[in-house]
Amino acid sequence: MGMTMSQKILAKHCGLSDLNSGDLIEASLDLVLGNDVTTPPAIRIFEKMGLKDVFDPDKITMIQDHFTPNKDINSAKLNKTMREFARSHNIKHYYELGRAEMGIEHVILPDNGLVLPGDVVIGADSHTCTYGALGSFSTGVGSTDLACAMATGKTWFKVPDAIRVNLNGHKAKYVTGKDVILYLIGKIGVDGALYDSVEFTGEGVADLTMADRLTICNMAIECGAKNGIFPVDDVTREYIAKTNPDRFTRGDYAEYQADPDATYLKTIDIDLADIEPLCAMPYLPSNTVPASTLSDVVIDQVVIGSCTNGRLDDIKLAAEFFSGKKVAANVRCIVIPGSQRVWREALDKGWFKIFDDAGCVISTPTCGPCLGGHMGVLADGEICVSTTNRNFVGRMGDTGSKVILAGIPVACASAIAGHVAVPSDS
């Protein structure tokens, strides 16, 4: 029986020639990730177990992004714990604030060339599934698994079943990867792919940029998926040739395609031309409706950024929408570049001037408001259109606030209009 893309990658990393869904395996890891929220508990577990050494200081990443720059004393303590551990164990991929490599974890790991096709990556953050856009198997774990993986370089998996999402056609103007994944989540629900591998295939894949694919895989967890994954193509190769030219030139990566007779729970066919700009209304990412039907929803805030939509392409697109425009008087708009490199390029290209002239707030790279941490927390009754990935009760602040998820075009149009809006060519 044939194997899916994910099964092939896992088989390679556990030394087996064949795997079936439901198999329990122990796989070697190419990269282990923790952040300022999940790493300190992992460090406590690591030390409580009497562990002394990490398996490979070059294959562990510790990223301060959720509550940084430190929002309070407790977050300062969390970062101090991670910083001291990283320094004492010579963790290569620990970055201080302001350094070129730093930023939001799921933006910087791909852009820093730390993930390539065929890799197996775990991270103590649910959106670690982002890296499947590069043809890798990546998934989130808890702090206990992170602690063990830091010591052994291995972890266990139950091999997931798979759902094939067959993409066809071409996106309409103003439709982005965010709309594609919201369309899928709206179609199957927040538990529609529970512990399944979601494999995106079809001729429509070629219509998606790398930023689109990273956004789509980032939100695979929002329909319950174990991971999301795209096949490697020329778009992937062009990207990794820039992010890690040494590994690319050496051919130090592996491309996998699903076998023709691979088993899938089901196949979902999506014509990209059928998708219009969407919003996910409170309080689930599956509560999707066309943005064009929501013009009566007056808003208080717009957030542009996050690990879902804070990449260079996203910030560039936002600058194009805000050029010559003004944020509505009743709205505050916060722009958060996803990394220090994105921040600097936005500065150098004059995009910050566009945002400032429009009346936007420009933040340092941080997860910030996405999880209700800081840099844009909502009060009771306030409504925010956000390019983030979750809109649960109280996600961005008070339990009486509301978050409407959208892509960059709808977020920008809404900030300018003062209510939920879609872009206009006029």
mmCIF file of all heavy atoms in Angstrom, residues 374-418:
data_model
loop_
_atom_site.group_PDB
_atom_site.id
_atom_site.type_symbol
_atom_site.label_atom_id
_atom_site.label_comp_id
_atom_site.label_asym_id
_atom_site.label_seq_id
_atom_site.Cartn_x
_atom_site.Cartn_y
_atom_site.Cartn_z
ATOM 1 N N HIS A 374 -0.291 41.899 24.906
ATOM 2 C CA HIS A 374 -0.002 43.326 25.017
ATOM 3 C C HIS A 374 -0.023 43.913 23.616
ATOM 4 O O HIS A 374 -0.327 43.231 22.648
ATOM 5 C CB HIS A 374 1.355 43.586 25.690
ATOM 6 C CG HIS A 374 2.537 43.016 24.951
ATOM 7 N ND1 HIS A 374 3.768 43.627 24.931
ATOM 8 C CD2 HIS A 374 2.697 41.889 24.212
ATOM 9 C CE1 HIS A 374 4.633 42.911 24.229
ATOM 10 N NE2 HIS A 374 3.997 41.856 23.789
ATOM 11 N N MET A 375 0.244 45.192 23.491
ATOM 12 C CA MET A 375 0.338 45.873 22.195
ATOM 13 C C MET A 375 -0.966 45.838 21.397
ATOM 14 O O MET A 375 -0.969 45.711 20.181
ATOM 15 C CB MET A 375 1.469 45.277 21.346
ATOM 16 C CG MET A 375 2.854 45.504 21.907
ATOM 17 S SD MET A 375 3.282 47.261 22.020
ATOM 18 C CE MET A 375 3.288 47.729 20.296
ATOM 19 N N GLY A 376 -2.105 45.953 22.117
ATOM 20 C CA GLY A 376 -3.379 45.996 21.406
ATOM 21 C C GLY A 376 -4.472 45.167 22.034
ATOM 22 O O GLY A 376 -5.349 44.645 21.336
ATOM 23 N N VAL A 377 -4.447 45.035 23.365
ATOM 24 C CA VAL A 377 -5.475 44.274 24.079
ATOM 25 C C VAL A 377 -6.804 45.026 24.018
ATOM 26 O O VAL A 377 -6.845 46.256 24.086
ATOM 27 C CB VAL A 377 -5.039 44.049 25.545
ATOM 28 C CG1 VAL A 377 -6.145 43.380 26.344
ATOM 29 C CG2 VAL A 377 -3.773 43.216 25.583
ATOM 30 N N LEU A 378 -7.902 44.264 23.874
ATOM 31 C CA LEU A 378 -9.228 44.852 23.698
ATOM 32 C C LEU A 378 -9.990 44.987 25.015
ATOM 33 O O LEU A 378 -9.855 44.154 25.916
ATOM 34 C CB LEU A 378 -10.059 43.994 22.741
ATOM 35 C CG LEU A 378 -9.535 43.834 21.312
ATOM 36 C CD1 LEU A 378 -10.402 42.844 20.548
ATOM 37 C CD2 LEU A 378 -9.494 45.180 20.594
ATOM 38 N N ALA A 379 -10.814 46.017 25.091
ATOM 39 C CA ALA A 379 -11.706 46.226 26.227
ATOM 40 C C ALA A 379 -13.068 45.584 25.945
ATOM 41 O O ALA A 379 -13.365 45.161 24.822
ATOM 42 C CB ALA A 379 -11.870 47.720 26.493
ATOM 43 N N ASP A 380 -13.892 45.528 26.959
ATOM 44 C CA ASP A 380 -15.240 44.977 26.829
ATOM 45 C C ASP A 380 -16.009 45.719 25.735
ATOM 46 O O ASP A 380 -16.022 46.950 25.682
ATOM 47 C CB ASP A 380 -15.967 45.125 28.170
ATOM 48 C CG ASP A 380 -17.370 44.550 28.142
ATOM 49 O OD1 ASP A 380 -17.618 43.622 27.343
ATOM 50 O OD2 ASP A 380 -18.215 45.025 28.914
ATOM 51 N N GLY A 381 -16.611 44.937 24.841
ATOM 52 C CA GLY A 381 -17.448 45.509 23.795
ATOM 53 C C GLY A 381 -16.715 45.929 22.539
ATOM 54 O O GLY A 381 -17.352 46.279 21.535
ATOM 55 N N GLU A 382 -15.388 45.913 22.557
ATOM 56 C CA GLU A 382 -14.639 46.341 21.376
ATOM 57 C C GLU A 382 -14.547 45.222 20.338
ATOM 58 O O GLU A 382 -14.513 44.035 20.673
ATOM 59 C CB GLU A 382 -13.241 46.816 21.769
ATOM 60 C CG GLU A 382 -13.257 48.113 22.562
ATOM 61 C CD GLU A 382 -11.881 48.710 22.719
ATOM 62 O OE1 GLU A 382 -10.944 47.986 23.095
ATOM 63 O OE2 GLU A 382 -11.744 49.925 22.464
ATOM 64 N N ILE A 383 -14.472 45.628 19.066
ATOM 65 C CA ILE A 383 -14.415 44.701 17.939
ATOM 66 C C ILE A 383 -13.145 44.972 17.142
ATOM 67 O O ILE A 383 -12.846 46.120 16.803
ATOM 68 C CB ILE A 383 -15.645 44.844 17.028
ATOM 69 C CG1 ILE A 383 -16.931 44.523 17.799
ATOM 70 C CG2 ILE A 383 -15.524 43.928 15.805
ATOM 71 C CD1 ILE A 383 -18.200 44.777 17.009
ATOM 72 N N CYS A 384 -12.414 43.918 16.835
ATOM 73 C CA CYS A 384 -11.163 44.040 16.072
ATOM 74 C C CYS A 384 -11.203 43.135 14.856
ATOM 75 O O CYS A 384 -11.539 41.949 14.955
ATOM 76 C CB CYS A 384 -9.979 43.649 16.963
ATOM 77 S SG CYS A 384 -8.378 43.669 16.106
ATOM 78 N N VAL A 385 -10.854 43.683 13.709
ATOM 79 C CA VAL A 385 -10.574 42.872 12.521
ATOM 80 C C VAL A 385 -9.082 42.567 12.549
ATOM 81 O O VAL A 385 -8.260 43.484 12.623
ATOM 82 C CB VAL A 385 -10.952 43.607 11.225
ATOM 83 C CG1 VAL A 385 -10.472 42.815 10.002
ATOM 84 C CG2 VAL A 385 -12.456 43.811 11.154
ATOM 85 N N SER A 386 -8.741 41.298 12.500
ATOM 86 C CA SER A 386 -7.349 40.909 12.723
ATOM 87 C C SER A 386 -6.896 39.859 11.720
ATOM 88 O O SER A 386 -7.650 38.957 11.344
ATOM 89 C CB SER A 386 -7.197 40.357 14.146
ATOM 90 O OG SER A 386 -5.869 39.971 14.399
ATOM 91 N N THR A 387 -5.631 39.951 11.323
ATOM 92 C CA THR A 387 -5.048 38.959 10.416
ATOM 93 C C THR A 387 -4.409 37.818 11.182
ATOM 94 O O THR A 387 -3.597 37.074 10.637
ATOM 95 C CB THR A 387 -4.005 39.607 9.488
ATOM 96 O OG1 THR A 387 -2.878 40.041 10.267
ATOM 97 C CG2 THR A 387 -4.584 40.777 8.723
ATOM 98 N N THR A 388 -4.771 37.675 12.465
ATOM 99 C CA THR A 388 -4.248 36.598 13.300
ATOM 100 C C THR A 388 -5.013 35.307 13.009
ATOM 101 O O THR A 388 -5.703 35.200 11.990
ATOM 102 C CB THR A 388 -4.329 36.997 14.785
ATOM 103 O OG1 THR A 388 -5.675 37.398 15.094
ATOM 104 C CG2 THR A 388 -3.398 38.163 15.059
ATOM 105 N N ASN A 389 -4.902 34.306 13.892
ATOM 106 C CA ASN A 389 -5.427 32.986 13.544
ATOM 107 C C ASN A 389 -6.512 32.435 14.464
ATOM 108 O O ASN A 389 -7.064 31.368 14.189
ATOM 109 C CB ASN A 389 -4.283 31.979 13.455
ATOM 110 C CG ASN A 389 -3.335 32.054 14.638
ATOM 111 O OD1 ASN A 389 -3.755 32.200 15.777
ATOM 112 N ND2 ASN A 389 -2.028 31.974 14.362
ATOM 113 N N ARG A 390 -6.821 33.121 15.557
ATOM 114 C CA ARG A 390 -7.847 32.620 16.472
ATOM 115 C C ARG A 390 -8.747 33.756 16.943
ATOM 116 O O ARG A 390 -8.284 34.883 17.137
ATOM 117 C CB ARG A 390 -7.207 31.909 17.674
ATOM 118 C CG ARG A 390 -6.634 30.558 17.275
ATOM 119 C CD ARG A 390 -6.017 29.806 18.431
ATOM 120 N NE ARG A 390 -5.632 28.470 17.967
ATOM 121 C CZ ARG A 390 -4.705 27.713 18.546
ATOM 122 N NH1 ARG A 390 -4.071 28.148 19.622
ATOM 123 N NH2 ARG A 390 -4.425 26.521 18.061
ATOM 124 N N ASN A 391 -10.014 33.420 17.139
ATOM 125 C CA ASN A 391 -10.996 34.430 17.543
ATOM 126 C C ASN A 391 -11.893 33.917 18.660
ATOM 127 O O ASN A 391 -13.069 34.250 18.726
ATOM 128 C CB ASN A 391 -11.835 34.877 16.348
ATOM 129 C CG ASN A 391 -12.586 33.719 15.691
ATOM 130 O OD1 ASN A 391 -12.350 32.550 15.982
ATOM 131 N ND2 ASN A 391 -13.500 34.046 14.786
ATOM 132 N N PHE A 392 -11.315 33.090 19.548
ATOM 133 C CA PHE A 392 -12.070 32.521 20.654
ATOM 134 C C PHE A 392 -12.497 33.609 21.644
ATOM 135 O O PHE A 392 -11.991 34.738 21.616
ATOM 136 C CB PHE A 392 -11.240 31.465 21.387
ATOM 137 C CG PHE A 392 -10.655 30.402 20.491
ATOM 138 C CD1 PHE A 392 -9.419 29.855 20.770
ATOM 139 C CD2 PHE A 392 -11.341 29.951 19.376
ATOM 140 C CE1 PHE A 392 -8.867 28.870 19.956
ATOM 141 C CE2 PHE A 392 -10.813 28.967 18.554
ATOM 142 C CZ PHE A 392 -9.562 28.424 18.841
ATOM 143 N N VAL A 393 -13.382 33.247 22.540
ATOM 144 C CA VAL A 393 -13.836 34.185 23.569
ATOM 145 C C VAL A 393 -12.627 34.678 24.381
ATOM 146 O O VAL A 393 -11.844 33.889 24.900
ATOM 147 C CB VAL A 393 -14.850 33.512 24.510
ATOM 148 C CG1 VAL A 393 -15.200 34.449 25.658
ATOM 149 C CG2 VAL A 393 -16.108 33.110 23.749
ATOM 150 N N GLY A 394 -12.464 35.992 24.451
ATOM 151 C CA GLY A 394 -11.382 36.571 25.234
ATOM 152 C C GLY A 394 -10.002 36.417 24.630
ATOM 153 O O GLY A 394 -9.002 36.712 25.303
ATOM 154 N N ARG A 395 -9.906 36.005 23.407
ATOM 155 C CA ARG A 395 -8.597 35.736 22.798
ATOM 156 C C ARG A 395 -7.702 36.981 22.782
ATOM 157 O O ARG A 395 -6.496 36.882 22.999
ATOM 158 C CB ARG A 395 -8.785 35.215 21.368
ATOM 159 C CG ARG A 395 -7.507 35.050 20.565
ATOM 160 C CD ARG A 395 -6.645 33.924 21.076
ATOM 161 N NE ARG A 395 -5.432 33.788 20.268
ATOM 162 C CZ ARG A 395 -4.520 32.849 20.449
ATOM 163 N NH1 ARG A 395 -4.669 31.953 21.401
ATOM 164 N NH2 ARG A 395 -3.452 32.792 19.686
ATOM 165 N N MET A 396 -8.277 38.154 22.528
ATOM 166 C CA MET A 396 -7.461 39.361 22.405
ATOM 167 C C MET A 396 -7.678 40.324 23.562
ATOM 168 O O MET A 396 -7.271 41.485 23.500
ATOM 169 C CB MET A 396 -7.732 40.049 21.057
ATOM 170 C CG MET A 396 -6.678 41.047 20.603
ATOM 171 S SD MET A 396 -6.928 41.696 18.936
ATOM 172 C CE MET A 396 -6.281 40.351 17.934
ATOM 173 N N GLY A 397 -8.303 39.835 24.632
ATOM 174 C CA GLY A 397 -8.527 40.721 25.764
ATOM 175 C C GLY A 397 -9.757 40.336 26.550
ATOM 176 O O GLY A 397 -9.975 39.170 26.879
ATOM 177 N N ASP A 398 -10.595 41.320 26.839
ATOM 178 C CA ASP A 398 -11.787 41.100 27.646
ATOM 179 C C ASP A 398 -12.703 40.064 26.997
ATOM 180 O O ASP A 398 -12.805 39.987 25.764
ATOM 181 C CB ASP A 398 -12.534 42.426 27.803
ATOM 182 C CG ASP A 398 -13.609 42.366 28.866
ATOM 183 O OD1 ASP A 398 -14.731 41.901 28.557
ATOM 184 O OD2 ASP A 398 -13.336 42.766 30.012
ATOM 185 N N THR A 399 -13.366 39.269 27.839
ATOM 186 C CA THR A 399 -14.260 38.237 27.297
ATOM 187 C C THR A 399 -15.462 38.834 26.574
ATOM 188 O O THR A 399 -16.146 38.135 25.822
ATOM 189 C CB THR A 399 -14.761 37.313 28.420
ATOM 190 O OG1 THR A 399 -15.389 38.111 29.453
ATOM 191 C CG2 THR A 399 -13.606 36.518 29.025
ATOM 192 N N GLY A 400 -15.698 40.114 26.766
ATOM 193 C CA GLY A 400 -16.774 40.781 26.051
ATOM 194 C C GLY A 400 -16.336 41.410 24.741
ATOM 195 O O GLY A 400 -17.152 42.020 24.041
ATOM 196 N N SER A 401 -15.061 41.263 24.386
ATOM 197 C CA SER A 401 -14.562 41.781 23.103
ATOM 198 C C SER A 401 -14.749 40.736 22.014
ATOM 199 O O SER A 401 -15.015 39.569 22.287
ATOM 200 C CB SER A 401 -13.089 42.167 23.220
ATOM 201 O OG SER A 401 -12.291 41.032 23.504
ATOM 202 N N LYS A 402 -14.590 41.163 20.765
ATOM 203 C CA LYS A 402 -14.779 40.264 19.630
ATOM 204 C C LYS A 402 -13.648 40.433 18.617
ATOM 205 O O LYS A 402 -13.217 41.552 18.340
ATOM 206 C CB LYS A 402 -16.124 40.527 18.944
ATOM 207 C CG LYS A 402 -17.321 40.229 19.823
ATOM 208 C CD LYS A 402 -18.627 40.508 19.091
ATOM 209 C CE LYS A 402 -19.830 40.199 19.981
ATOM 210 N NZ LYS A 402 -21.109 40.470 19.269
ATOM 211 N N VAL A 403 -13.209 39.304 18.060
ATOM 212 C CA VAL A 403 -12.179 39.310 17.021
ATOM 213 C C VAL A 403 -12.766 38.717 15.744
ATOM 214 O O VAL A 403 -13.353 37.626 15.761
ATOM 215 C CB VAL A 403 -10.944 38.492 17.447
ATOM 216 C CG1 VAL A 403 -9.935 38.411 16.302
ATOM 217 C CG2 VAL A 403 -10.302 39.107 18.681
ATOM 218 N N ILE A 404 -12.612 39.441 14.656
ATOM 219 C CA ILE A 404 -13.026 38.975 13.333
ATOM 220 C C ILE A 404 -11.772 38.692 12.529
ATOM 221 O O ILE A 404 -10.946 39.593 12.311
ATOM 222 C CB ILE A 404 -13.881 40.045 12.615
ATOM 223 C CG1 ILE A 404 -15.148 40.349 13.429
ATOM 224 C CG2 ILE A 404 -14.238 39.593 11.202
ATOM 225 C CD1 ILE A 404 -15.936 41.539 12.906
ATOM 226 N N LEU A 405 -11.579 37.448 12.127
ATOM 227 C CA LEU A 405 -10.384 37.067 11.366
ATOM 228 C C LEU A 405 -10.560 37.395 9.884
ATOM 229 O O LEU A 405 -11.638 37.180 9.316
ATOM 230 C CB LEU A 405 -10.103 35.574 11.519
ATOM 231 C CG LEU A 405 -9.898 35.055 12.949
ATOM 232 C CD1 LEU A 405 -9.639 33.547 12.921
ATOM 233 C CD2 LEU A 405 -8.758 35.778 13.632
ATOM 234 N N ALA A 406 -9.486 37.876 9.273
ATOM 235 C CA ALA A 406 -9.536 38.223 7.850
ATOM 236 C C ALA A 406 -8.122 38.247 7.285
ATOM 237 O O ALA A 406 -7.131 38.212 8.022
ATOM 238 C CB ALA A 406 -10.205 39.583 7.645
ATOM 239 N N GLY A 407 -8.035 38.336 5.970
ATOM 240 C CA GLY A 407 -6.760 38.494 5.298
ATOM 241 C C GLY A 407 -6.361 39.960 5.224
ATOM 242 O O GLY A 407 -7.113 40.863 5.625
ATOM 243 N N ILE A 408 -5.171 40.200 4.691
ATOM 244 C CA ILE A 408 -4.644 41.569 4.607
ATOM 245 C C ILE A 408 -5.576 42.517 3.838
ATOM 246 O O ILE A 408 -5.853 43.632 4.310
ATOM 247 C CB ILE A 408 -3.244 41.553 3.959
ATOM 248 C CG1 ILE A 408 -2.237 40.820 4.849
ATOM 249 C CG2 ILE A 408 -2.769 42.972 3.667
ATOM 250 C CD1 ILE A 408 -1.879 41.517 6.131
ATOM 251 N N PRO A 409 -6.105 42.148 2.663
ATOM 252 C CA PRO A 409 -6.947 43.102 1.927
ATOM 253 C C PRO A 409 -8.176 43.561 2.714
ATOM 254 O O PRO A 409 -8.488 44.759 2.751
ATOM 255 C CB PRO A 409 -7.345 42.309 0.672
ATOM 256 C CG PRO A 409 -6.223 41.338 0.467
ATOM 257 C CD PRO A 409 -5.839 40.934 1.860
ATOM 258 N N VAL A 410 -8.872 42.624 3.349
ATOM 259 C CA VAL A 410 -10.064 42.990 4.115
ATOM 260 C C VAL A 410 -9.686 43.798 5.355
ATOM 261 O O VAL A 410 -10.359 44.779 5.704
ATOM 262 C CB VAL A 410 -10.866 41.731 4.508
ATOM 263 C CG1 VAL A 410 -11.964 42.078 5.519
ATOM 264 C CG2 VAL A 410 -11.470 41.083 3.277
ATOM 265 N N ALA A 411 -8.604 43.435 6.020
ATOM 266 C CA ALA A 411 -8.176 44.162 7.204
ATOM 267 C C ALA A 411 -7.857 45.616 6.864
ATOM 268 O O ALA A 411 -8.271 46.543 7.573
ATOM 269 C CB ALA A 411 -6.966 43.481 7.839
ATOM 270 N N CYS A 412 -7.127 45.818 5.794
ATOM 271 C CA CYS A 412 -6.756 47.187 5.400
ATOM 272 C C CYS A 412 -7.988 47.987 4.978
ATOM 273 O O CYS A 412 -8.156 49.152 5.379
ATOM 274 C CB CYS A 412 -5.740 47.150 4.266
ATOM 275 S SG CYS A 412 -4.144 46.453 4.722
ATOM 276 N N ALA A 413 -8.838 47.378 4.157
ATOM 277 C CA ALA A 413 -10.046 48.071 3.698
ATOM 278 C C ALA A 413 -10.928 48.442 4.889
ATOM 279 O O ALA A 413 -11.538 49.525 4.919
ATOM 280 C CB ALA A 413 -10.811 47.191 2.714
ATOM 281 N N SER A 414 -10.981 47.569 5.888
ATOM 282 C CA SER A 414 -11.807 47.823 7.070
ATOM 283 C C SER A 414 -11.233 48.955 7.911
ATOM 284 O O SER A 414 -11.984 49.788 8.440
ATOM 285 C CB SER A 414 -11.914 46.546 7.907
ATOM 286 O OG SER A 414 -12.499 45.491 7.151
ATOM 287 N N ALA A 415 -9.911 48.996 8.050
ATOM 288 C CA ALA A 415 -9.277 50.077 8.804
ATOM 289 C C ALA A 415 -9.570 51.424 8.174
ATOM 290 O O ALA A 415 -9.788 52.427 8.876
ATOM 291 C CB ALA A 415 -7.769 49.844 8.875
ATOM 292 N N ILE A 416 -9.590 51.476 6.871
ATOM 293 C CA ILE A 416 -9.825 52.722 6.143
ATOM 294 C C ILE A 416 -11.305 53.120 6.193
ATOM 295 O O ILE A 416 -11.649 54.293 6.357
ATOM 296 C CB ILE A 416 -9.351 52.572 4.678
ATOM 297 C CG1 ILE A 416 -7.821 52.394 4.656
ATOM 298 C CG2 ILE A 416 -9.778 53.764 3.836
ATOM 299 C CD1 ILE A 416 -7.291 51.861 3.334
ATOM 300 N N ALA A 417 -12.194 52.124 6.094
ATOM 301 C CA ALA A 417 -13.630 52.404 6.044
ATOM 302 C C ALA A 417 -14.237 52.646 7.422
ATOM 303 O O ALA A 417 -15.262 53.333 7.550
ATOM 304 C CB ALA A 417 -14.361 51.244 5.359
ATOM 305 N N GLY A 418 -13.629 52.042 8.470
ATOM 306 C CA GLY A 418 -14.196 52.165 9.809
ATOM 307 C C GLY A 418 -15.200 51.082 10.130
ATOM 308 O O GLY A 418 -15.774 51.046 11.216
#
